[in-house]
Amino acid sequence: QVQLVESGGGLVQAGGSLRLSCTVPEFLLDYHSIGWFRQAPGKGREAVSCISSSDSAYYTESVKGRFTISRDVANNAVTLQMNSLKPEDTAVYYCATVRFEAYGCYDPDYWGQGAQVTVSA
């Protein structure tokens, strides 16, 4: 069974920071791209960021300059560092295997269960 597991998240004041981690099997991390998606209440799921096996990264425009995605190979994880958080960042965040492209994260396949991120005003 392929399982991705998110950790981190929580409640933070606007302007604060949170770090999400997605643990994945080594064979996925080494050869697959990993993406972060989020779904806010009443909204559709959107791609936030993804990273290729060679560390190329994509970010949706709304998080550029604030979020940083990275691969932590030693810990079999992909991390999303979220700084300068805004209330509109509030959502459930999911990680998934994806097909990486310079302009997006496509065809999510295996998913984690999600981590709640809540940003208060």
Side-chain angles (χ1 to χ4, degrees):
Q1 178 69 37
V2 175
Q3 184 174 359
L4 281 63
V5 180
E6 299 94 342
S7 62
L11 175 64
V12 66
Q13 187 176 357
S17 299
L18 288 172
R19 179 179 294 176
L20 301 178
S21 292
C22 174
T23 57
V24 302
E26 287 188 54
F27 77 94
L28 290 179
L29 187 62
D30 289 345
Y31 299 106
H32 290 74
S33 301
I34 305 295
W36 284 97
F37 299 77
R38 67 185 180 187
Q39 187 163 15
K43 302 293 181 64
R45 189 170 296 184
E46 66 169 336
V48 177
S49 179
C50 52
I51 188 167
S52 74
S53 59
S54 60
D55 288 337
S56 295
Y58 161 85
Y59 300 93
T60 192
E61 189 67 29
S62 64
V63 309
K64 286 182 178 178
R66 300 189 298 120
F67 291 11
T68 303
I69 191 169
S70 61
R71 295 170 69 247
D72 182 0
V73 177
N75 292 298
N76 301 321
V78 170
T79 297
L80 185 68
Q81 177 67 44
M82 304 182 292
N83 297 328
S84 301
L85 283 161
K86 305 174 180 179
E88 52 262 45
D89 294 319
T90 295
V92 177
Y93 285 70
Y94 302 86
C95 62
T97 57
V98 301
R99 174 171 58 85
F100 178 87
E101 299 289 348
Y103 300 102
C105 320
Y106 299 95
D107 303 327
D109 191 359
Y110 299 108
W111 293 88
Q113 293 298 308
Q116 178 68 49
V117 171
T118 302
V119 184
S120 62

